Amino acid sequence: MNASDVEKVTELILKELNSQHNVSREPEKPTGSMVKFHKNLNTIPDFKRTPDLKEKKVRNHMEDFSSVDHPTNQEYLTEQIKKTPARIGVGRAGVRPKTNALLKFRLDHAAAVDSVYGKVSDELLNRMNWFSVQTMVEDQEVYIRRPDLGRKLNDEAKKQIAAKCKKNPEVQIVISDGLSFEAVEKNAEDVFLSLQQALTQLGYEQGTPFFVKNGRVAIMDDIGEALNPEVVVLLIGERPGLISAESLSAYLCYKPRKGTIEADRMVISNIHAGGIPPAEAGAYLGNVVKKILDNKASGISLVKREK
Amino acid sequence: MSSSGNIETILSVGIDIGTSTTKIIVSRFSLENIAGASHVPKIEIVKKEILYKSPIYRTPLLDNKKIIDIQEVHALVRKEYEKAGVMPTDVKTGAVIITGESATKENAQEIIHDLSSEAGEFLVATAGPDLESIIAAKGSGAYQYSLDTGKCIANIDIGGGTTNIAVYKKGILLGTCTLHVGGRLIEFQDGEIAAVSKPVKEVARMIDQSLSSQEDVESVLDFMVNTLTEILNGSIKTKENPLILGHLPEWGNTVEAIMFSGGVSECLYKHETAQSELYDDIGSCLANKIKESSRLAEWEWITPLETVRATVLGAGTQTTEISGATIQVDAAKLPLKNLPVFHLHLEDLQVGEESVKQAVQQALEMYDPNQEGINFALYISGLKILRFSEVQQIALWLLQAFQMQINNDQPLVIVMANDMAKVLGQSIQSLKPERPIVCIDQIKVENGDYLDIGSMLRAEVVPVVVKTLAFHS
């Protein structure tokens, strides 16, 4: 499916749903994005208290798609659907899924594919004043087939970083699209600003932030070699799934250098509107950085030291 | 606490000083990060163990039963702590509550104040009749039963002085009600009536009984059981009945099952093995009347997990919640007790500045009308996932609005419904570093609730007790 097809399908589904279920809700504002449906893919679990009936009902993204014919216990079914973003209670037509459920599946799949192939906008990079460098791979197909090339900076990148970045900072923040440009587009700004505020309050000296196109997690080793920071925080797009295509991860490592082992990296994942809210995640990351710097270790080494 | 498997324990104590009996319970909560290693921590109470249950003591009274014997209560608490091997400084949360008729004793407030400072760091220190009903229903197992089965159950906690009813369906509180029905409302001495409480005298007058014979007592007991039945099935519509204390029930005719707890229910279930003390009052007669009532038999009866200890168990183990794991608090300002809550539903940020200002103004008028510097907690709900710039905006509005407070040295207390306390707290702090902040999240409160916030634990969370009076209809 190309972009305009997806748009059409989206419109069709929305129209159909509104007429079928007579769902009264605000019309979706056109965002120009293909992945309208992904605005609130996950539910935000309320684990502290029993549900407050007076409060407005929060709709799970799958609720609109549930269509079991003549359920024995509708109340129970609705409750179960609300508890998970997974595709349950979608009903069936004979042995096949219903049209709605199938279209929703294909739409989510298309959104996942799009997030791998899309490109972070210059608008965001300019606004945040992040200069952009490239790994050793430019072609998207090659990037997917050759993870090793995504772990190394190209020569031009090394030159630019050497010229533009502050050396030996305590904390170096780097942003990379990884496998989801949407993750960066939607969440990186808020995580970054909030983390920056937290680090400033903690009194840490920060390096010059920049963006790496087509990066993999271990790109932090090359960056560590080039800039000699104490800690690298890498905000990188996660491999998209059918639940969310815009989830961001923050990888942290104490003194990443050539030969750093994976066990010494740590990650805070699931940062997006339906997971950990980006601004709150940034504030929390400040704590994690502090812990790493206090213990001069990250990952499993940090866990060992804390014991 | 960045990895799972790292368990922290805290001690919680419950002390219940009732009309007839006083009891103490010590329990240990285990807190654990239940989120995966790659997630932001989520701290929950994963285990509650009862370490020690005191015997059931008679509540010590003085001066013709008008006041509670403070010395005696202290001695009792000290003795029980010693037996349990607990130091007051070890206690991190819990509740001292004075229930039933004891709450009306002249020195009840004094006791509460004394105990909550001397016996450890208690959060809840008082309980009105509504909260008492809720605590009893949680301690008896009625609340859990409604969660497990989805049924609508009434917990009827019958003590010496009052009966506290709480109705739960699927874990949701439908209402509470308190009655002057209890074992100690008529006392005997050598087979003769020795004391009769005021509401019972009124009932006797109403049904034209002089309370001179056993038959008269029987008819008063029948009246009590009938009132209880009508309260449970929602058919009572008037407050004329002298047995009703406070408001009428609001759950209609929805109750499917009933559970009895409290001292009088012990006569029904005989959970306590060692207890054979005679109380010389109407407690066991009342229990018999309840057992024989054909109208009460129409409901399904569920056996409680605890009888006479339901309230103390609830107080010790069911009152504490844990805040979200990412919060921003000035540890030196904790604990905070009895903060009234003002609820601001903030949806439209267009008018956010004005909304915040109005809310703080109203809260100050309501809770600190004489400008004595009484603090409050602002609860903010209704927000969507916010951009960082929007958080900055709200931080500024809050800081400006809170400058209206008379005393700017006291902490600015904010409770967020959404997971955003840390970034909001940090934003406020970076604007005004000298103002102390207590900004927590993922606790649900309502207007009129009172909030206790405990000291920060090792897992960087705080224990919170919400003294709620809100019902869900």
Side-chain angles (χ1 to χ4, degrees):
Chain A
M1 281 204 280
N2 64 30
S4 66
D5 283 345
V6 176
E7 280 280 41
K8 274 181 213 154
V9 173
T10 310
E11 261 180 41
L12 269 175
I13 296 178
L14 273 178
K15 214 185 275 175
E16 206 175 329
L17 279 171
N18 283 331
S19 61
Q20 262 189 12
H21 298 282
N22 198 14
V23 184
S24 60
R25 58 173 189 183
E26 282 178 36
E28 300 267 335
K29 282 187 196 123
T31 56
S33 152
M34 294 178 288
V35 285
K36 286 178 187 171
F37 268 57
H38 291 260
K39 274 206 302 203
N40 50 5
L41 278 178
N42 273 340
T43 48
I44 301 160
D46 175 10
F47 44 82
K48 286 295 169 205
R49 289 276 283 260
T50 48
D52 183 349
L53 294 184
K54 268 188 287 186
E55 254 174 41
K56 254 191 256 162
K57 202 174 155 217
V58 181
R59 293 190 77 84
N60 178 308
H61 78 112
M62 286 310 293
E63 268 184 83
D64 291 338
F65 293 88
S66 74
S67 56
V68 175
D69 299 322
H70 320 295
T72 319
N73 188 341
Q74 179 65 56
E75 209 185 334
Y76 183 75
L77 180 66
T78 311
E79 246 170 60
Q80 297 308 306
I81 289 171
K82 258 193 246 170
K83 282 182 183 156
T84 171
R87 277 152 234 271
I88 64 169
V90 292
R92 61 190 172 90
V95 294
R96 294 167 291 117
K98 291 194 172 181
T99 309
N100 270 349
L102 183 69
L103 285 177
K104 164 82 171 141
F105 183 89
R106 289 183 60 180
L107 184 74
D108 286 347
H109 188 256
V113 173
D114 283 348
S115 68
V116 176
Y117 286 92
K119 189 175 166 295
V120 171
S121 68
D122 289 339
E123 196 270 319
L124 175 69
L125 299 179
N126 291 337
R127 177 153 43 92
M128 297 307 297
N129 209 7
W130 294 334
F131 70 91
S132 174
V133 299
Q134 183 82 43
T135 58
M136 288 181 71
V137 51
E138 273 181 51
D139 182 272
Q140 207 63 19
E141 294 296 338
V142 181
Y143 168 74
I144 290 165
R145 282 199 313 271
R146 294 286 305 274
D148 57 323
L149 296 180
R151 295 184 191 124
K152 293 191 181 73
L153 295 167
N154 69 14
D155 291 341
E156 174 60 23
K158 283 182 189 161
K159 245 186 265 165
Q160 275 207 48
I161 289 170
K164 291 181 182 167
C165 289
K166 190 157 132 188
K167 306 290 175 316
N168 316 314
E170 276 180 295
V171 186
Q172 173 70 47
I173 306 175
V174 181
I175 301 92
S176 180
D177 47 5
L179 284 161
S180 170
F181 86 100
E182 278 284 9
V184 171
E185 199 69 45
K186 293 260 169 67
N187 308 308
E189 176 179 349
D190 288 326
V191 180
F192 175 82
L193 292 174
S194 173
L195 171 60
Q196 203 176 35
Q197 171 173 280
L199 293 175
T200 306
Q201 256 174 36
L202 289 164
Y204 292 130
E205 181 211 353
Q206 295 160 58
T208 317
F210 58 94
F211 176 80
V212 179
K213 174 114 185 50
N214 287 347
R216 298 271 178 181
V217 172
I219 191 71
M220 60 203 324
D221 299 356
D222 255 16
I223 293 164
E225 293 286 340
L227 295 172
N228 199 34
E230 298 277 301
V231 179
V232 171
V233 182
L234 173 63
L235 307 177
I236 187 166
E238 284 174 19
R239 184 189 307 275
L242 291 166
I243 306 278
S244 176
E246 56 184 57
S247 185
L248 188 77
S249 274
Y251 280 83
L252 300 102
C253 189
Y254 179 71
K255 293 195 172 168
R257 301 289 184 268
K258 232 170 223 146
T260 291
I261 57 169
E262 297 309 311
D264 280 339
R265 300 189 216 281
M266 51 206 286
V267 62
I268 302 299
S269 66
N270 201 30
I271 303 170
H272 59 112
I276 305 304
E280 186 72 352
Y284 172 69
L285 282 171
N287 274 27
V288 183
V289 169
K290 179 171 190 308
K291 215 172 268 177
I292 293 173
L293 284 170
D294 286 350
N295 289 284
K296 298 194 180 305
S298 56
I300 298 296
S301 311
L302 175 64
V303 175
K304 277 186 193 152
R305 276 215 198 158
E306 277 186 314
K307 269 185 187 161
Chain B
M1 206 148 120
S2 60
S3 61
S4 56
N6 191 351
I7 293 180
E8 175 173 10
T9 58
I10 58 172
L11 276 191
S12 170
V13 167
I15 302 176
D16 173 15
I17 304 172
T19 312
S20 314
T21 59
T22 292
K23 43 257 158 191
I24 298 171
I25 203 162
V26 180
S27 51
R28 179 168 54 206
F29 297 167
S30 300
L31 270 56
E32 196 179 0
N33 176 14
I34 60 155
S38 73
H39 286 67
V40 172
K42 188 160 116 186
I43 312 296
E44 285 190 7
I45 299 173
V46 291
K47 197 162 78 178
K48 293 173 182 174
E49 297 158 277
I50 310 292
L51 298 183
Y52 179 74
K53 285 183 187 179
S54 80
I56 313 278
Y57 289 101
R58 294 294 281 266
T59 298
L61 298 172
L62 274 180
D63 197 9
N64 208 11
K65 299 181 183 172
K66 277 212 289 290
I67 58 171
I68 301 166
D69 187 341
I70 299 188
Q71 299 300 327
E72 199 51 41
V73 169
H74 274 290
L76 204 150
V77 170
R78 264 197 302 273
K79 188 171 80 184
E80 291 303 311
Y81 268 36
E82 213 165 283
K83 276 203 264 176
V86 172
M87 300 291 285
T89 45
D90 298 336
V91 178
K92 290 283 176 262
T93 186
V96 189
I97 58 176
I98 300 201
T99 56
E101 299 274 289
S102 291
T104 63
K105 303 288 184 219
E106 284 165 22
N107 60 344
Q109 278 307 320
E110 197 183 333
I111 293 252
I112 288 254
H113 193 261
D114 262 36
L115 272 184
S116 67
S117 53
E118 201 175 288
E121 190 171 285
F122 284 96
L123 293 181
V124 175
T126 46
D130 292 315
L131 189 56
E132 233 175 276
S133 307
I134 294 169
I135 289 175
K138 289 191 170 168
S140 71
Y143 164 76
Q144 191 61 41
Y145 176 86
S146 80
L147 260 188
D148 294 345
T149 61
K151 279 193 186 158
C152 181
I153 185 166
N155 188 70
I156 305 151
D157 190 85
I158 311 179
T162 53
T163 290
N164 292 95
I165 306 170
V167 175
Y168 275 96
K169 182 176 187 173
K170 281 189 192 170
I172 296 165
L173 180 67
L174 297 185
T176 63
C177 185
T178 305
L179 302 175
H180 286 294
V181 170
R184 226 157 167 69
L185 297 183
I186 302 177
E187 290 173 60
F188 303 111
Q189 204 167 13
D190 308 322
E192 297 290 317
I193 292 173
V196 178
S197 76
K198 204 170 140 247
V200 170
K201 281 182 189 157
E202 278 176 51
V203 168
R205 209 175 307 132
M206 220 172 92
I207 59 174
D208 277 333
Q209 302 288 351
S210 59
L211 281 179
S212 51
S213 66
Q214 182 60 30
E215 285 76 48
D216 288 4
V217 172
E218 296 266 333
S219 16
V220 167
L221 291 176
D222 285 332
F223 186 87
M224 284 181 173
V225 174
N226 273 336
T227 304
L228 179 60
T229 311
E230 283 164 18
I231 289 283
L232 288 174
N233 65 24
S235 62
I236 228 161
K237 293 281 180 282
T238 159
K239 285 179 78 177
E240 307 282 285
N241 192 321
L243 295 184
I244 294 174
L245 196 163
H247 57 82
L248 283 170
E250 47 287 86
W251 51 73
N253 189 13
T254 50
V255 174
E256 296 167 274
I258 56 180
M259 184 181 275
F260 289 95
S261 64
V264 169
S265 79
E266 176 54 27
C267 304
L268 294 172
Y269 295 108
K270 307 265 187 281
H271 278 190
E272 305 284 332
T273 44
Q275 228 68 38
S276 60
E277 201 182 341
L278 281 172
Y279 285 90
D280 232 357
D281 58 24
I282 51 167
S284 58
C285 306
L286 179 60
N288 281 333
K289 283 281 176 200
I290 287 167
K291 210 189 284 181
E292 287 159 12
S293 162
S294 58
R295 290 176 74 190
L296 287 175
E298 282 169 25
W299 281 290
E300 187 183 354
W301 285 38
I302 309 296
T303 307
L305 301 175
E306 288 285 339
T307 55
V308 61
R309 292 174 208 266
T311 302
V312 74
L313 193 79
T317 66
Q318 301 289 329
T319 49
T320 304
E321 294 179 56
I322 301 295
S323 72
T326 54
I327 56 175
Q328 191 76 6
V329 296
D330 195 327
K333 294 288 172 185
L334 294 177
L336 290 167
K337 287 179 192 172
N338 278 324
L339 285 173
V341 172
F342 192 89
H343 183 179
L344 165 62
H345 188 81
L346 185 61
E347 215 165 330
D348 187 2
L349 289 187
Q350 298 281 323
V351 293
E353 184 168 15
E354 200 44 41
S355 307
V356 169
K357 199 173 144 195
Q358 266 176 17
V360 173
Q361 216 154 22
Q362 281 173 12
L364 286 173
E365 280 163 19
M366 196 149 61
Y367 298 128
D368 193 16
N370 303 321
Q371 305 211 325
E372 297 159 85
I374 296 167
N375 206 358
F376 69 97
L378 184 66
Y379 172 59
I380 305 178
S381 69
L383 291 167
K384 301 200 174 56
I385 305 282
L386 297 185
R387 303 299 308 260
F388 181 74
S389 54
E390 293 167 322
V391 177
Q392 300 287 102
Q393 192 74 78
I394 292 175
L396 184 66
W397 294 337
L398 284 168
L399 204 52
Q400 282 168 350
F402 270 84
Q403 266 165 8
M404 286 188 279
Q405 271 184 324
I406 225 67
N407 177 2
N408 268 253
D409 295 334
Q410 61 190 1
L412 193 160
V413 185
I414 295 168
V415 181
M416 303 300 299
N418 295 30
D419 183 8
M420 56 174 289
K422 197 164 191 79
V423 63
L424 182 65
Q426 283 180 353
S427 299
I428 296 172
Q429 213 154 50
S430 60
L431 288 168
K432 195 173 183 193
E434 67 273 20
R435 177 95 205 229
I437 295 170
V438 173
C439 190
I440 62 173
D441 60 20
Q442 293 174 25
I443 297 281
K444 259 197 200 165
V445 280
E446 298 267 353
N447 259 336
D449 284 354
Y450 281 80
L451 205 62
D452 294 340
I453 306 173
S455 297
M456 201 170 194
L457 304 175
R458 207 155 35 83
E460 293 172 14
V461 292
V462 290
V464 177
V465 175
V466 181
K467 290 179 256 187
T468 186
L469 299 173
F471 306 130
H472 305 293
S473 46

